[in-house]
Amino acid sequence: MIDAGSEQSTANVHDQEVNPWEVKGDADGKIDYEKLQKKFGCSRLGKELVERIEKLTGRPAHPLLRRGMFYAHRDLEQLLDAYEKGEPFYLYTGRGPSSEALHLGHLIPFMFTKWLQDAFNVPLVIQVTDDEKRLWRMNLTADQIYELGKENIKDIIACGFDPNKTFIFSDFDYMGGRFYRNIVEIQRLVTVSTRKAIFGFSFDSNIGQISFPAVQAAPCFPDSFPHMFGMRKAIRCLIPCAIDQDPYFRMTRDVAPKLGYFKPALIESSFFPALQGESGKMSASLPNSAIFVTDTDKQIKTKINKHAFSGGGKSEAEQRANGANLDVDVAWKYLRFFCEDDKKLKQIGEDYSSGKLLTGEVKAILIEILQQIVTKHQKERVKVSPEIVKQFTDVREMLDLFPGLKVTS
Ligand code: TRP
């Protein structure tokens, strides 16, 4: 998600507004996810689909999937039908480099994508949209943003992707060739009126902002990566992303059949809340709004204890008597994202909402889990040498990504 910049929303102050550049809740600051999914026209990702994924992959679903953080989709059934028949697909996700250190919210789609890559054993492309950030963030130079992208790539690699199946690219570096040709094909088919209807529009937008959606659309088409997929057009694409990215892919799905491609399928998540609560903005420029992957154990402890919004009683007596309101409690929300043990999580939920557990005790459990996750990430990240980065980012021949599969072009 990127800053609002000069793109203007026409919504009135009390309406929620979610697009790739702006996330604003209703009057109470909260996002109504059901309303959003309906407004966007995506489908609800229900239990049956989660079970189907488990059956097809032979693994228990990732916690983010079975607990409903990835809650909406487009054409996931069709994608799974095709997979079941042995047809190939690849994964596509991305990151707009806006800050040097990633926070936990940034990490979530990548952790989930890593699970998808392992579970389905499929190739993955990751787009680093340094161009997008330059077009919207006027206060950083292109060189600065490009360097942030390079740093972010190391954090992405630290999530554990398979170098033999993963291609990570900066738009600044990779622009050209078949990728650029596909961008132009998409640009030909999207009018300014369509651009306006999907994303909103202001005459103060710069012309790069207006045409950028084609750049984020093109990786949905396999022949944007001839070194991986040759000139094959009949390979499906699945995009794990946060739901604010949906407008880009609605546009892509409009043009895909006209250009002879499958429409990309999507699996979409809600947002990871700020420490201050759901209406708070988690921002790389507000250090106390988020846990960063560079934080020390001590910083994590202090941030959670001091800044994580509590839904618990005001005093110990009150908490014992009434229990906590889990709906607004940030430590609880974070545990739902990061505590993998279902039984333990359920017990915490029961004990905390009934008053048996105090906020401090729940926070202590969370602190330990987050310290472990962040320490592990830091250990993996120092291992990411320039050679390893090259293994992921070099444009190299990877034409045997679907062994044993017959792919028609
Ligand atoms: N626009 C996204 C951002 O600002 C980056 C991005 C590019 C992306 N391609 C994507 C995100 C595909 C999800 C899926 O962070």
Side-chain angles (χ1 to χ4, degrees):
M1 192 202 319
I2 55 184
D3 295 345
S6 57
E7 205 97 5
Q8 303 216 325
S9 84
T10 46
N12 88 40
V13 272
H14 294 309
D15 279 349
Q16 79 176 4
E17 175 65 27
V18 175
N19 62 48
W21 308 288
E22 183 182 17
V23 174
K24 188 160 70 67
D26 277 324
D28 64 357
K30 278 202 181 164
I31 307 283
D32 180 337
Y33 284 108
E34 180 145 350
K35 194 160 120 193
L36 193 59
Q37 165 243 321
K38 290 204 171 118
K39 181 180 161 210
F40 280 179
C42 13
S43 313
R44 196 67 203 225
L45 204 171
K47 232 177 149 211
E48 319 73 59
L49 260 176
V50 174
E51 280 164 10
R52 185 150 180 233
I53 292 174
E54 292 187 321
K55 236 178 85 195
L56 279 173
T57 62
R59 316 186 167 210
H62 191 280
L64 294 168
L65 192 56
R66 61 177 194 258
R67 294 183 193 151
M69 281 75 171
F70 277 81
Y71 82 109
H73 77 95
R74 288 179 186 271
D75 282 358
L76 191 56
E77 288 110 340
Q78 286 90 324
L79 182 107
L80 296 176
D81 288 345
Y83 179 77
E84 203 167 11
K85 283 192 235 144
E87 290 174 25
F89 79 87
Y90 67 101
L91 294 162
Y92 160 39
T93 192
R95 152 110 192 124
S98 56
S99 63
E100 185 162 338
L102 302 193
H103 55 55
L104 291 180
H106 295 136
L107 221 52
I108 280 166
F110 292 108
M111 292 167 125
F112 183 59
T113 303
K114 145 90 179 143
W115 183 86
L116 288 172
Q117 179 174 54
D118 290 349
F120 287 99
N121 188 22
V122 284
L124 162 68
V125 297
I126 301 176
Q127 178 179 44
V128 176
T129 53
D130 32 25
D131 51 350
E132 177 187 31
K133 287 296 166 183
R134 178 59 184 144
L135 288 167
W136 269 272
R137 290 275 300 244
M138 303 303 176
N139 56 345
L140 291 175
T141 66
D143 283 345
Q144 285 168 332
I145 294 174
Y146 180 73
E147 287 311 317
L148 292 179
K150 295 280 144 191
E151 289 307 308
N152 290 177
I153 286 173
K154 294 182 203 161
D155 279 304
I156 293 169
I157 291 172
C159 293
F161 297 106
D162 177 351
N164 296 318
K165 286 189 181 320
T166 306
F167 175 51
I168 307 179
F169 62 101
S170 124
D171 283 342
F172 281 154
D173 282 342
Y174 189 60
M175 190 59 60
R178 290 283 159 182
F179 178 45
Y180 185 56
R181 282 210 211 178
N182 281 342
I183 290 168
V184 172
E185 291 307 308
I186 297 161
Q187 286 171 337
R188 278 185 75 233
L189 296 180
V190 183
T191 63
V192 176
S193 323
T194 304
R195 164 69 172 80
K196 177 172 190 290
I198 299 179
F199 299 91
F201 178 80
S202 146
F203 273 102
D204 296 326
S205 303
N206 64 51
I207 60 174
Q209 290 174 337
I210 293 167
S211 62
F212 174 77
V215 179
Q216 185 154 332
C220 301
F221 302 154
D223 55 357
S224 293
F225 308 100
H227 62 291
M228 302 174 77
F229 308 121
M231 291 311 291
R232 292 162 180 166
K233 283 188 153 199
I235 303 179
R236 285 171 202 268
C237 173
L238 172 64
I239 306 163
C241 62
I243 191 141
D244 63 320
Q245 301 295 305
D246 187 79
Y248 282 119
F249 303 118
R250 234 181 295 149
M251 185 198 89
T252 314
R253 287 167 54 85
D254 270 358
V255 301
K258 297 178 193 156
L259 293 170
Y261 302 99
F262 289 116
K263 292 182 178 189
L266 290 142
I267 180 160
E268 302 176 302
S269 73
S270 54
F271 307 121
F272 185 71
L275 282 171
Q276 284 70 19
E278 235 178 278
S279 52
K281 185 171 156 38
M282 192 162 53
S283 162
S285 51
L286 302 171
N288 287 329
S289 69
I291 305 291
F292 290 86
V293 296
T294 45
D295 283 349
T296 60
D297 280 359
K298 197 160 163 249
Q299 281 171 315
I300 294 174
K301 186 171 172 193
T302 312
K303 281 189 192 181
I304 297 291
N305 281 334
K306 264 204 178 157
H307 301 286
F309 186 83
S310 166
K314 296 254 171 316
S315 61
E316 179 174 346
E318 233 180 85
Q319 169 65 6
R320 296 276 183 225
N322 306 324
N325 176 3
L326 299 188
D327 280 348
V328 298
D329 191 275
V330 169
W332 167 251
K333 283 177 194 284
Y334 278 28
L335 281 170
R336 290 195 66 236
F337 277 87
F338 292 112
C339 172
E340 290 199 8
D341 184 336
D342 288 334
K343 261 214 207 118
K344 185 170 162 189
L345 185 72
K346 188 160 169 269
Q347 193 64 48
I348 296 170
E350 283 170 16
D351 292 349
Y352 191 28
S353 59
S354 70
K356 207 164 148 194
L357 275 178
L358 302 175
T359 295
E361 292 167 326
V362 174
K363 285 189 171 180
I365 301 170
L366 175 67
I367 288 166
E368 207 188 307
I369 291 177
L370 294 184
Q371 286 173 339
Q372 274 169 14
I373 291 173
V374 170
T375 304
K376 179 168 171 257
H377 183 87
Q378 292 171 353
K379 276 203 184 121
E380 292 304 319
R381 197 195 194 271
V382 293
K383 288 192 218 153
V384 183
S385 62
E387 293 72 43
I388 293 179
V389 172
K390 266 173 74 67
Q391 284 177 15
F392 284 90
T393 56
D394 271 359
V395 178
R396 61 221 189 262
E397 216 177 273
M398 311 164 77
L399 290 169
D400 52 357
L401 287 164
F402 299 109
L405 280 174
K406 257 199 7 237
V407 188
T408 46
S409 60

